[in-house]
Amino acid sequence: LHIGILVSVLLLITYCLIRDRHRVRNLSGKHIFITSCDTGLGNSLAKWLDKRGFLVIAACVTERGRQDLESCCSPWLKTVKLNLADPSSIARAVLFVTEETAGKGLFGLVNNAEGTTPVAPTDWLRVEDFHSVLEVGLIGLIEITLKLLPLLKRAEGRIVNLINAKGLVALIGGGYSLSKWGMEAFSDILRIEIQHFEVKVSIIEHSFFRTGVVSSDMIERDLLRLWNRLTPEIRDAYGEIYFVE
């Protein structure tokens, strides 16, 4: 028994020593860019990293989101407006990050944004409904990642993609699950391809967090809009009971 306890303690010490070797040192002067910081995970992460001493550049969709974040963080935290569905907005954000990093490169990119609605039976959707989700939750994130790669290579930084694990369970139609599976594949491919430049790519699969971005009321309103848009033939085929359930 004593030998078992001793071995366990030695293993624990060894684990702690190995783990601590991978801790990030000298946090000051390291820039991290985070998307979708108005609320939720991005907002919390921006505040936490700011307190840790990183130079955070937080992208927000709204002006209110920028103001709220700046009011409760250090003067070193910078914000920029970003609409991932708008290529010109992405270009402006990339220029802002380039100027802020001032030749140092980008230590970290955290992709957090996601397109949400509409989610509905596939038969109720049009192709533009898929575009509205994928342009934010997949295409926009890929575009800004590609445009920031030169800065990440310069700093031998890392990319962290936050992916809602529930989106990997394909239970309902629409672009939401497609965007999550797409980001998984993009991350896995990119990780292999840019390891030559000492740039790391990580995926964090988190659970669902209720934020201001999405709510059950919003989803229900959108389902009602789609239901009312259907032709009488399709509505009759599904029936009112199907819609209510």
Side-chain angles (χ1 to χ4, degrees):
L1 178 62
H2 292 115
I3 293 175
I5 294 174
L6 179 61
V7 171
S8 299
V9 171
L10 290 174
L11 288 174
L12 179 61
I13 293 173
T14 303
Y15 164 76
C16 291
L17 290 173
I18 295 174
R19 180 197 61 189
D20 288 345
R21 288 178 59 192
H22 294 279
R23 289 185 182 274
V24 177
R25 308 294 180 183
N26 302 319
L27 307 184
S28 61
K30 289 181 168 63
H31 289 85
I32 297 182
F33 179 67
I34 311 170
T35 63
S36 190
C37 294
D38 296 77
T39 58
L41 289 176
N43 185 276
S44 298
L45 181 61
K47 295 174 182 175
W48 187 78
L49 291 175
D50 178 58
K51 291 179 180 178
R52 297 278 292 177
F54 286 100
L55 300 176
V56 177
I57 306 173
C60 298
V61 179
T62 65
E63 186 63 31
R64 174 66 181 274
R66 290 181 60 186
Q67 294 174 358
D68 289 348
L69 194 55
E70 289 176 351
S71 67
C72 62
C73 293
S74 76
W76 304 112
L77 180 139
K78 306 296 183 182
T79 62
V80 60
K81 286 191 69 174
L82 174 62
N83 177 6
L84 285 168
D86 181 2
S88 62
S89 178
I90 292 175
R92 288 192 295 270
V94 170
L95 178 60
F96 182 84
V97 174
T98 303
E99 293 174 345
E100 285 294 321
T101 54
K104 297 179 181 178
L106 186 61
F107 181 74
L109 166 63
V110 181
N111 283 317
N112 170 54
E114 58 180 25
T116 51
T117 57
V119 289
T122 303
D123 198 18
W124 298 11
L125 300 172
R126 301 171 183 169
V127 69
E128 55 264 30
D129 296 321
F130 288 87
H131 280 289
S132 65
V133 177
L134 294 175
E135 285 173 359
V136 173
L138 181 60
I139 303 302
L141 291 179
I142 290 176
E143 182 175 356
I144 200 162
T145 300
L146 295 178
K147 289 188 174 180
L148 290 174
L149 270 181
L151 298 179
L152 289 158
K153 291 177 183 177
R154 186 177 303 164
E156 295 185 352
R158 66 282 320 279
I159 300 167
V160 179
N161 292 326
L162 303 181
I163 299 175
N164 193 325
K166 289 192 175 181
L168 300 175
V169 182
L171 295 177
I172 193 166
Y176 188 72
S177 290
L178 295 179
S179 68
K180 301 309 165 191
W181 285 92
M183 281 304 293
E184 288 267 345
F186 175 72
S187 303
D188 290 340
I189 294 168
L190 189 63
R191 181 186 303 112
I192 297 170
E193 293 175 341
I194 63 173
Q195 62 182 347
H196 172 73
F197 300 98
E198 299 297 329
V199 177
K200 301 175 180 63
V201 179
S202 301
I203 298 170
I204 295 180
E205 295 176 350
H206 61 84
S207 185
F208 181 79
F209 292 89
R210 187 184 181 94
T211 69
V213 177
V214 63
S215 67
S216 58
D217 292 340
M218 183 188 302
I219 294 174
E220 287 182 14
R221 287 196 301 269
D222 209 58
L223 282 172
L224 180 61
R225 176 184 65 83
L226 296 173
W227 174 258
N228 291 330
R229 191 183 69 181
L230 295 175
T231 64
E233 291 79 12
I234 295 180
R235 281 204 301 269
D236 291 342
Y238 280 93
E240 289 285 346
I241 294 178
Y242 183 94
F243 170 68
V244 171
E245 290 179 349

